[in-house]
Amino acid sequence: MNLFQFMGAIELGLLYGLVAMGVLLSFRILDFPDLTVDGSFPLGASVSAILIASGVNPWVATFCAVLAGMFAGFVTAFISVRWNILNLLASILTMMALYSINLRIMGRPNIALLGESTIFSPLDATGISHRYTIPIALFFIVGIVLFALYRFLISEKGLSLRATGANIRMAKAQGVAVNRQIFFGIALSNGVVALGGALAAQYQGFAVADISQGIILFGLAAIIVGEAIFNPKFILGALFAAICGSIIYFLLRAFALNTGFLGLQASDLNLVTAVLVGFAMITPKLRSKILDFKATRSRP
Amino acid sequence: MSKANNVKQVLKTLLLSLSLSSSLSATPPTKHIAITQYIEHVAADAVREGLLAELKEQGIEATIDFENAQGNAATAGQIARKLVSLKPDVIVAITTPSAQAIVNVTGKDTLPVVFSAVTDPVGAGLVSSLNEHKGMVTGVMDAPPIKEQMGFIKTILPKAKTIGVLYNPGDNGSVASLDIIKQEAKAQGLSIIEATPVKSSDIQSAILLLVGKVDAIYVPLDNMVVSAMASVSGTALKHNIPLFSADSGSVKDGAFACLGYSYVQTGHKTGKIVAKILEGTPPSEIPVASPETTDIFINRHVLEALKIPLPEEIRKQAHYY
């Protein structure tokens, strides 16, 4: 791996860190296992891509993608809350529907954004290579989203959302409108994920309907890796750990791509990534185990 | 204490792995060709096979790096970065998303890029036009010859009125070609019934839906259906329905007939362009190529079982399996 690849992994890690934060919001903070993400990520990509390709301002297109993602989340919450369907099943329904809807929105298998004006285009005007400007831009975008989510989650509204996730009966007893919290939380989560999808399409220069298979698994892996390494105690730390988990995931994947010398084939990539991510999760635990063991041995 | 230490530990491992990998990827000898494709696909794999065969025939000695994005756009981006930073003499990108990912990194004018198995290179943003294009990108395009395929069905089965189209609605390529299939079938006076299995296990029941309603079944270049061809063709034959495929390899697996480009030939064509670039021709002077000739492939056993009389002309032209 060289610097060019390293920076690529950092960029992708920041970008997909949005997905990790979205998944953190539903799975961890709201305790709502939400698979809608697998549909709302490509939804964000396809909505923004088709709008940009038909000449809409890229910021407007990105905003529409976020709204579309929020609506997808809203539908999942509606099915789950209003009709009392298990959250996992409700989200599977929306995810399945979104697969067809995304194909419809795109209308063709592949939308090219190479040469179109995207939200990254203004960076050309600076005259500095994308190698430097894109990571900085992504750093700012992700930083702003992280800060906004953090400010929201420590506000009174955010606290009632977290209370709903922590103990729904207790929250209800305290007068929190729990259903409204679930609606808003899941919509927000999918809005952030769709923003990730919209930015990914613009960053990568194209959108395809199956832009990322199994993105939800990536999101969970990023959160768990982040938690295993940073062991966050506060909400800001949790958001931060999710993004770092995402970056580490892409670094490991870039490393897995460079393991050809071990006699591994192109098709072994997923296996190598899984093993590396597994190691990243286990290593911190192993360390504390060894320390414990030493501590007990040194005791008289 | 454990938190700070953990972070340090992870950084250490990462740095170690970084230095390890960079020291082990040694500089390549002679020529260096990097190949990437987006997903394992019957057509893409055949193109790669043809490409490697052509390079061998031309006597080009090259180190080959191959990466497969396994259907993930982020991985395609990471692969693009890896291949570009290896600074090979040529990058071959099979399938549209892989080519787009590479061009997104090279910016069209740094490294020679040869795309292949791309249906619409202009629409995909790879080149500005097919003949005159600036920059370092060229390749082979292959819009499937659907018009000819529908005409072919009508020539072999002049009495046919309805054909069943068997495809996976989640397959980008199939969905994209469906409009053209409808249009061209209509031009031949054929009406269409769609059968759309979403997973391999649905294929059998999808075919049974068509039995008795159609005179023939047509399979576009659909990854899932083509991959399951052996069982698809068996079921079709059991019900005496002639099965036409857009993929020439399917005929080996028991499909009745195919008129199409051989993807292995597309690969050979790609290989010829790669050879030209290695000899020093700038990519901007190589126009985007497309396969000119179609071939006819027929499965002899199925022909005998269905007892379909072949027109003299087709009988002579066809390749038999």
Side-chain angles (χ1 to χ4, degrees):
Chain A
M1 204 190 324
N2 51 28
L3 186 68
F4 186 51
Q5 274 178 278
F6 180 78
M7 285 315 291
I10 301 274
E11 287 171 26
L12 280 169
L14 283 170
L15 193 58
Y16 282 74
L18 292 170
V19 178
M21 285 196 290
V23 174
L24 180 82
L25 212 55
S26 54
F27 269 76
R28 281 283 190 261
I29 295 176
L30 209 48
D31 196 21
F32 186 114
D34 176 25
L35 304 187
T36 319
V37 172
D38 245 17
S40 53
F41 184 81
L43 178 70
S46 47
V47 166
S48 67
I50 195 78
L51 288 176
I52 289 172
S54 38
V56 176
N57 178 300
W59 292 99
V60 177
T62 308
F63 183 68
C64 290
V66 174
L67 285 186
M70 291 185 81
F71 183 71
F74 181 84
V75 171
T76 297
F78 181 77
I79 299 172
S80 169
V81 171
R82 174 68 181 78
W83 301 103
N84 203 17
I85 309 258
L86 181 69
N87 42 26
L88 200 60
L89 294 177
S91 68
I92 288 175
L93 282 181
T94 326
M95 178 185 83
M96 277 169 65
L98 280 174
Y99 185 74
S100 300
I101 292 169
N102 289 333
L103 286 171
R104 274 290 179 119
I105 291 174
M106 305 240 313
R108 51 194 140 131
N110 181 306
I111 299 175
L113 297 174
L114 296 167
E116 298 279 352
S117 118
T118 66
I119 62 165
F120 298 111
S121 301
L123 299 176
D124 297 338
T126 58
I128 308 167
S129 162
H130 271 187
R131 283 174 97 139
Y132 309 106
T133 50
I134 294 244
I136 295 170
L138 283 172
F139 187 78
F140 271 103
I141 294 173
V142 175
I144 289 168
V145 175
L146 184 143
F147 184 71
L149 280 178
Y150 169 63
R151 284 308 296 261
F152 165 71
L153 287 170
I154 57 167
S155 71
E156 199 170 324
K157 281 215 171 85
L159 282 173
S160 34
L161 187 121
R162 286 159 66 189
T164 307
N167 187 337
I168 192 159
R169 288 171 71 186
M170 188 66 169
K172 221 182 227 171
Q174 299 288 340
V176 173
V178 286
N179 286 354
R180 202 187 298 165
Q181 299 305 327
I182 293 175
F183 270 103
F184 183 71
I186 296 302
L188 184 66
S189 155
N190 282 287
V192 176
V193 171
L195 174 67
L199 294 182
Q202 296 176 55
Y203 169 78
Q204 284 154 357
F206 64 95
V208 283
D210 53 351
I211 186 159
S212 284
Q213 294 172 345
I215 185 94
I216 184 72
L217 296 178
F218 152 76
L220 286 174
I223 294 179
I224 296 168
V225 168
E227 281 172 353
I229 292 168
F230 297 97
N231 191 19
K233 296 281 187 295
F234 303 101
I235 202 77
L236 184 64
L239 289 167
F240 187 71
I243 294 175
C244 290
S246 163
I247 292 175
I248 289 167
Y249 177 90
F250 279 101
L251 283 174
L252 291 174
R253 194 144 180 119
F255 177 63
L257 269 175
N258 287 285
T259 46
F261 57 87
L262 296 175
L264 294 162
Q265 291 176 1
S267 51
D268 297 333
L269 178 62
N270 281 348
L271 173 67
V272 179
T273 312
V275 170
L276 289 175
V277 169
F279 262 116
M281 289 174 192
I282 295 167
T283 315
K285 290 192 180 160
L286 220 55
R287 238 184 90 80
S288 62
K289 271 236 167 95
I290 291 169
L291 284 179
D292 278 356
F293 182 68
K294 275 189 187 154
T296 36
R297 282 235 337 223
S298 60
R299 221 172 277 152
Chain B
M1 139 212 122
S2 77
K3 202 163 146 189
N5 269 345
N6 285 346
V7 178
K8 256 188 211 161
Q9 194 75 13
V10 168
L11 282 177
K12 246 190 221 163
T13 359
L14 271 176
L15 280 176
L16 186 72
S17 56
L18 283 180
S19 53
L20 243 175
S21 63
S22 52
S23 64
L24 276 162
S25 51
T27 43
T30 57
K31 298 292 181 194
H32 184 190
I33 300 169
I35 306 173
T36 177
Q37 74 189 50
Y38 192 60
I39 198 162
E40 258 110 40
H41 188 286
V42 277
D45 294 345
V47 168
R48 199 174 81 235
E49 191 186 306
L51 166 70
L52 295 177
E54 178 68 30
L55 292 176
K56 209 173 210 176
E57 277 168 32
Q58 300 243 356
I60 293 170
E61 293 223 355
T63 14
I64 309 269
D65 269 296
F66 172 64
E67 294 293 349
N68 183 326
Q70 301 181 348
N72 187 315
T75 310
Q78 288 197 290
I79 287 174
R81 289 216 172 213
K82 179 196 167 182
L83 297 186
V84 169
S85 56
L86 291 174
K87 296 199 175 60
D89 297 291
V90 182
I91 300 181
V92 182
I94 304 169
T95 63
T96 311
S98 278
Q100 286 168 320
I102 295 280
V103 168
N104 194 31
V105 174
T106 62
K108 286 192 193 181
D109 47 10
T110 46
L111 274 170
V113 178
V114 178
F115 58 79
S116 191
V118 169
T119 313
D120 177 11
V122 178
L126 298 172
V127 287
S128 47
S129 87
L130 295 183
N131 296 318
E132 293 172 31
H133 51 92
K134 288 179 197 144
M136 302 286 267
V137 185
T138 187
V140 184
M141 64 180 286
D142 64 344
I146 293 169
K147 186 180 172 189
E148 288 81 359
Q149 287 169 346
M150 292 300 138
F152 177 64
I153 296 179
K154 198 69 187 176
T155 325
I156 291 192
L157 305 168
K159 285 183 198 151
K161 290 208 173 58
T162 314
I163 55 170
V165 179
L166 186 66
Y167 71 98
N168 170 9
D171 189 305
N172 289 329
S174 305
V175 175
S177 58
L178 194 68
D179 281 337
I180 313 169
I181 294 173
K182 281 182 186 158
Q183 204 180 320
E184 296 298 340
K186 207 175 166 192
Q188 297 289 342
L190 294 165
S191 60
I192 274 185
I193 299 180
E194 294 171 35
T196 53
V198 289
K199 41 185 202 296
S200 303
S201 51
D202 295 342
I203 296 181
Q204 293 294 331
S205 49
I207 299 176
L208 293 180
L209 275 178
L210 297 172
V211 173
K213 291 183 202 151
V214 298
D215 304 305
I217 294 178
Y218 170 77
V219 175
L221 210 63
D222 187 289
N223 200 26
M224 185 186 86
V225 180
V226 169
S227 306
M229 190 45 77
S231 83
V232 174
S233 60
T235 316
L237 187 61
K238 205 161 75 189
H239 296 93
N240 274 323
I241 308 175
L243 179 78
F244 293 84
S245 175
D247 162 59
S248 54
S250 301
V251 178
K252 231 181 281 179
D253 289 335
F256 168 50
C258 165
L259 173 142
Y261 306 129
S262 144
Y263 280 87
V264 179
Q265 286 306 319
T266 306
H268 277 279
K269 217 155 206 165
T270 316
K272 289 197 173 97
I273 294 184
V274 171
K276 262 191 203 170
I277 292 175
L278 289 179
E279 280 162 17
T281 318
S284 57
E285 283 172 22
I286 305 172
V288 173
S290 60
E292 300 108 14
T293 53
T294 53
D295 286 314
I296 293 173
F297 304 87
I298 286 178
N299 187 307
R300 199 170 304 208
H301 301 290
V302 181
L303 179 71
E304 280 161 16
L306 292 173
K307 300 190 184 67
I308 294 174
L310 285 183
E312 186 63 31
E313 204 181 311
I314 290 179
R315 197 164 44 191
K316 273 187 198 150
Q317 266 185 34
H319 305 270
Y320 292 94
Y321 284 111

